[in-house]
Amino acid sequence: MSQAEVLRDQLIEQGVKYVFGFYVDIHGVPKSKCVPVESLPSMAKGSELYTVGALEGMGDLGPHEDECAGIPDLDRLVVLPWKPEFAVVPTSLHLDGELYPQEARNFLVRQVEAAAEMGFVANVGIEPEFYVVRETAGGWEPLVPQDRLDAPTRGYDLETTVLAEPFLGPMVEYMNGLGYGVYSFDHEGGDGQYEFNFDYTDALTMADRMVIFRLMAKHVARELGCIATFMAKPFQDDFGSASHVNISLADKESGRNVFEAASGGGYSDTARHFVAGVLAHAGAICAVTSPTVNSYKRFTSKGFMDEISWAPVYRSWGENNRTLMCRMPVNRHCLEVRTVDASVNYHLGIGLILAAGLDGVAKKLDPGEPLNRDTYRMTTEELAGYGDLALPRSLEQALDQFEADGLAETVMGKEFHRTFLDYKRAECREYGSVVTDWETRNYLQRL
């Protein structure tokens, strides 16, 4: 019997009835046909065809052109613990027998292969933040009403964390049932905002897991009459939702973390070169890791908030400096990319971070000395002494840098690079045409 036939019989015995072979669109949202489990062997051979030109940001395949075939990676199949009659399996799209170049998961696969050719395995940990809220006549309200009490911040608050157990408990149970290894979770600073911390794994597995994580969070929230939102800055007077990518390289043969210096316990030259590569391509990375017009409202030291935002505002690196794009923590050997937000397409975002870091390693780039000061409090004159630290202040600015970035075009391919750029430019044009409540409130009667 083939692997697919053996797996089919095992799934039937477990009570699985249907299988989704998912890929992701430009937003990182999973797409798939649903296949009865009995048809898994034919699905494994590419029986399911997709007219991806009809989807958002996946290329301009017209109605006269061939369809993409989905080839599932059966070793990565997962039975959904909250809906065990369904299984999901990440799938690679193929066109004319080759990996379809305008699909984010295929892009990450290629970057993982590039790392392997250099002798590395890329490992990634994610710190996802998001809000759980319910819609009421008075607007969006947090999962736990007590969050609205007059308090500076509910970050790490024990009482409201316990009160949120109807959401947090099932999440931890499902995540650990899938082997994610949750080691902590908490109430973040925002009203109804939560974060989960769990074990790192290889880059492709982590990106696949985050697709399932979002599905899980949305399901558990829906069971409580709420929604889980991965919008970067849903409320102007509350904290944004980041999704920090913690990335490191391991030796492919030994598994040793090559970001750790061979002696002394500090960071290696490889780690320094990697962070330099990320900083060299910071603008292009922001375009895909902070991919919405809303994303850039997170990049402020305070804004309308009562507290500091803890968000990155400058393109530099520091050891424990959370005001910067890149943080090299002293308690673990990895690069924490802090400009990544909750709306990221993980396959695309991790892929471009990895490509940029590998470029830095190949070219032996130097990131310079760390900036370990609170940049929120530094004057313009003080900051000028460190050179140009500017991050894009809008999606439009990020797209300008993405368009000019030769590495992004090379690793993504000209067609995928152009598709992403055109789609996001259109989003910016649409946003620029919207008349907001702020404009009406400030200009309608004044002028």
Side-chain angles (χ1 to χ4, degrees):
M1 296 177 68
S2 68
Q3 178 192 12
E5 290 170 327
V6 172
L7 183 57
R8 174 201 60 198
D9 293 346
Q10 292 173 344
L11 292 174
I12 290 173
E13 187 174 341
Q14 293 176 44
V16 173
K17 297 179 180 179
Y18 307 103
V19 180
F20 286 104
F22 74 86
Y23 53 95
V24 295
D25 67 9
I26 194 171
H27 307 293
V29 174
K31 303 293 182 180
S32 177
K33 292 182 180 179
C34 189
V35 174
V37 68
E38 291 81 4
S39 298
L40 183 61
S42 60
M43 176 192 183
K45 296 177 181 178
S47 65
E48 303 315 304
L49 304 178
Y50 296 93
T51 52
V52 296
L55 300 180
E56 295 181 318
M58 295 197 65
D60 191 24
L61 283 179
H64 62 294
E65 297 182 84
D66 287 343
E67 298 169 298
C68 287
I71 308 297
D73 186 347
L74 296 181
D75 291 333
R76 296 175 180 270
L77 183 141
V78 171
V79 177
L80 297 181
W82 64 91
K83 198 77 171 174
E85 62 267 38
F86 287 97
V88 297
V89 55
T91 291
S92 292
L93 293 181
H94 287 68
L95 182 64
D96 299 327
E98 302 290 336
L99 285 179
Y100 181 58
Q102 299 204 54
E103 196 275 312
R105 190 173 188 276
N106 286 346
F107 168 66
L108 178 55
V109 167
R110 292 195 300 271
Q111 306 323 305
V112 168
E113 290 173 348
E117 290 174 2
M118 295 176 66
F120 302 127
V121 172
N123 289 318
V124 171
I126 302 291
E127 303 170 71
E129 300 171 349
F130 58 97
Y131 281 84
V132 180
V133 293
R134 71 178 80 242
E135 190 172 17
T136 71
W140 292 104
E141 293 294 333
L143 168 67
V144 177
Q146 283 88 337
D147 274 352
R148 286 298 190 200
L149 297 179
D150 186 18
T153 174
R154 282 292 185 178
Y156 305 137
D157 187 78
L158 191 151
E159 180 185 13
T160 48
T161 302
V162 171
L163 291 173
E165 193 279 334
F167 174 79
L168 300 173
M171 286 291 293
V172 173
E173 178 183 349
Y174 295 148
M175 291 172 72
N176 282 338
L178 292 173
Y180 289 9
V182 177
Y183 55 84
S184 71
F185 55 95
D186 63 85
H187 190 302
E188 277 295 307
D191 295 339
Q193 188 185 40
Y194 306 100
E195 177 182 295
F196 291 85
N197 296 290
F198 48 100
D199 292 342
Y200 71 85
T201 185
D202 68 275
L204 186 59
T205 298
M206 181 56 74
D208 290 342
R209 283 182 175 180
M210 292 310 299
V211 173
I212 297 171
F213 176 87
R214 281 175 171 164
L215 287 173
M216 181 192 303
K218 288 178 179 292
H219 164 77
V220 177
R222 195 160 45 242
E223 291 289 293
L224 300 172
C226 297
I227 69 163
T229 178
F230 294 89
M231 183 178 177
K233 182 78 170 176
F235 308 109
Q236 67 181 20
D237 57 351
D238 218 333
F239 291 90
S241 290
S243 196
H244 303 148
V245 168
N246 295 266
I247 188 167
S248 62
L249 298 177
D251 180 83
K252 189 172 67 171
E253 300 300 326
S254 68
R256 179 182 66 85
N257 183 350
V258 299
F259 274 20
E260 183 177 359
S263 60
Y267 280 94
S268 66
D269 287 341
T270 299
R272 289 176 54 82
H273 298 327
F274 192 96
V275 70
V278 170
L279 292 172
H281 301 283
I285 289 171
C286 281
V288 298
T289 59
S290 300
T292 71
V293 293
N294 173 261
S295 297
Y296 295 82
K297 296 181 179 179
R298 188 173 73 89
F299 296 151
T300 177
S301 60
K302 189 170 183 180
F304 286 96
M305 296 168 52
D306 294 329
E307 306 290 323
I308 62 171
S309 68
W310 296 84
V313 290
Y314 293 109
R315 182 184 61 84
S316 188
W317 76 283
E319 291 168 346
N320 263 342
N321 195 341
R322 294 166 177 83
T323 72
L324 306 176
M325 177 182 187
C326 292
R327 174 181 173 231
M328 305 287 275
V330 297
N331 64 337
R332 60 188 187 276
H333 292 92
C334 67
L335 165 62
E336 180 183 277
V337 184
R338 296 180 55 79
T339 47
V340 186
D341 72 43
S343 64
V344 66
N345 176 331
Y346 285 99
H347 292 89
L348 188 56
I350 293 172
L352 193 54
I353 290 171
L354 177 56
L358 292 176
D359 185 58
V361 172
K363 294 177 179 176
K364 298 187 183 301
L365 299 182
D366 184 358
E369 294 302 309
L371 173 51
N372 291 327
R373 298 176 61 185
D374 180 357
T375 61
Y376 293 166
R377 298 177 179 272
M378 292 175 66
T379 66
T380 302
E381 292 75 18
E382 289 174 320
L383 288 165
Y386 290 89
D388 182 8
L389 302 183
L391 284 170
R393 303 306 301 167
S394 67
L395 180 58
E396 287 182 293
Q397 288 185 11
L399 292 172
D400 288 342
Q401 295 182 44
F402 176 82
E403 183 173 21
D405 194 290
L407 177 73
E409 183 180 67
T410 297
V411 297
M412 291 181 68
K414 288 186 177 181
E415 290 184 351
F416 193 20
H417 184 263
R418 175 53 56 182
T419 294
F420 181 88
L421 186 65
D422 289 349
Y423 186 90
K424 288 297 178 178
R425 290 279 197 212
E427 185 176 320
C428 290
R429 287 193 297 271
E430 180 179 345
Y431 177 71
S433 300
V434 172
V435 178
T436 66
D437 291 341
W438 184 93
E439 293 168 281
T440 303
R441 186 171 63 252
N442 282 274
Y443 301 140
L444 185 67
Q445 298 184 65
R446 179 188 301 174
L447 303 177

